[in-house]
Amino acid sequence: MTSHLASADSIPSLVSPAISHGLIAESSPADSPVKLGILASGSGSNFEAIAQAIKDGKLNAQIQVLIYNNPGIKAVERAESWGVPAVLLNHREYNRREALDTAIVQVLQQYEVEWVVMAGWMRIVTPVLIDAFPDRIINIHPSLLPSFKGAHAVEQALETGVKITGCTVHLVRPEVDSGPILIQAAVPVLPDDTPETLHARIQVQEHRILPQAIAQLAATSTLASRHPSGD
Ligand code: GRF
């Protein structure tokens, strides 16, 4: 895994907007950190990238809570190592998507979350969640949207034979993998790629653009929009 990441990082990529060297820390350290809630279903490497960007002073934010739906995932270990509370909301225990989302909203509000980051959250979300955080939920997806929506984006890119794919950070809307695009990064598809090697190359870029997108949102997030109810 590590070697995939190392070799993938040496392959040219294109990021929009251009961030050729590290992140652009756009929010002033004097501003209070943006309070993030992160939703994850798997490895949590994007959670880790966000935590590292905060630690490195490249992102003026604070991770309030990790919500996860699959017991035993690596994301929980990562949260523990960063001292972030991890809350299990197992979707198998809810009979409707709306019921799960209601529970998610309750936890996010309990932890005073301002922005929600779906970082490998493999559940379809409903207006119950989306309307509780209007224009304050973002998602990372492993393709250049609108191509290859859904859970098998990397495999579909390989099957289709595209020569360039990538990843997208976008605001979340009720339709899956839609919503205004914030940042994209493109990577080449190599002739001998497998889903694993291609995904590893895409994830190198995910780990750049997701913290960057949050930094941009934090910079544009006025006090009013961070506290829309005026509290
Ligand atoms: C990422 O590739 C993301 O684009 C997709 O799920 C994957 C999560 O990876 N939605 P990780 O759990 O952050 O390592």
Side-chain angles (χ1 to χ4, degrees):
M1 188 66 184
T2 306
S3 61
H4 284 323
L5 291 176
S7 60
D9 205 13
S10 61
I11 293 171
S13 61
L14 177 65
V15 178
S16 174
I19 47 168
S20 51
H21 299 291
L23 298 175
I24 307 165
E26 298 185 31
S27 53
S28 159
D31 296 337
S32 60
V34 172
K35 296 177 182 172
L36 303 176
I38 299 185
L39 311 186
S41 299
S43 156
S45 68
N46 281 289
F47 170 94
E48 185 94 23
I50 295 165
Q52 191 65 49
I54 294 170
K55 183 182 179 202
D56 293 344
K58 296 173 177 171
L59 173 59
N60 186 21
Q62 187 170 304
I63 305 175
Q64 303 287 102
V65 63
L66 169 76
I67 295 175
Y68 65 104
N69 63 315
N70 292 321
I73 59 172
K74 192 171 178 189
V76 178
E77 289 171 38
R78 297 185 198 265
E80 284 169 0
S81 75
W82 285 94
V84 171
V87 176
L88 173 63
L89 295 176
N90 190 332
H91 64 276
R92 299 161 191 87
E93 296 171 6
Y94 298 83
N95 57 4
R96 294 166 63 241
R97 293 188 193 282
E98 287 80 1
L100 172 64
D101 284 358
T102 299
I104 292 171
V105 169
Q106 284 171 352
V107 172
L108 293 171
Q109 290 176 342
Q110 176 191 343
Y111 282 89
E112 301 182 338
V113 165
E114 296 171 320
W115 283 86
V116 182
V117 182
M118 291 168 47
W121 181 246
M122 304 305 283
R123 305 298 305 166
I124 294 172
V125 296
T126 70
V128 169
L129 174 58
I130 295 169
D131 293 348
F133 292 87
D135 280 342
R136 287 182 290 145
I137 307 177
I138 64 173
N139 181 47
I140 177 91
H141 183 76
S143 77
L144 293 174
L145 291 173
S147 293
F148 311 131
K149 297 179 179 181
H152 304 288
V154 178
E155 290 84 354
Q156 284 176 21
L158 283 173
E159 286 162 11
T160 309
V162 294
K163 302 306 177 197
I164 295 175
T165 186
C167 48
T168 302
V169 182
H170 64 94
L171 290 174
V172 170
R173 294 288 185 267
E175 189 189 334
V176 173
D177 297 326
S178 64
I181 290 170
L182 300 172
I183 302 185
Q184 292 183 306
V187 302
V189 180
L190 302 184
D192 59 351
D193 263 336
T194 64
E196 290 74 28
T197 60
L198 180 55
H199 194 202
R201 190 175 310 117
I202 291 169
Q203 286 219 289
V204 170
Q205 301 309 319
E206 290 188 346
H207 301 159
R208 297 174 73 197
I209 70 171
L210 184 55
Q212 172 62 16
I214 299 166
Q216 286 181 206
L217 289 169
T220 57
S221 165
T222 64
L223 202 58
S225 68
R226 285 175 62 180
H227 302 280
S229 61
D231 54 6

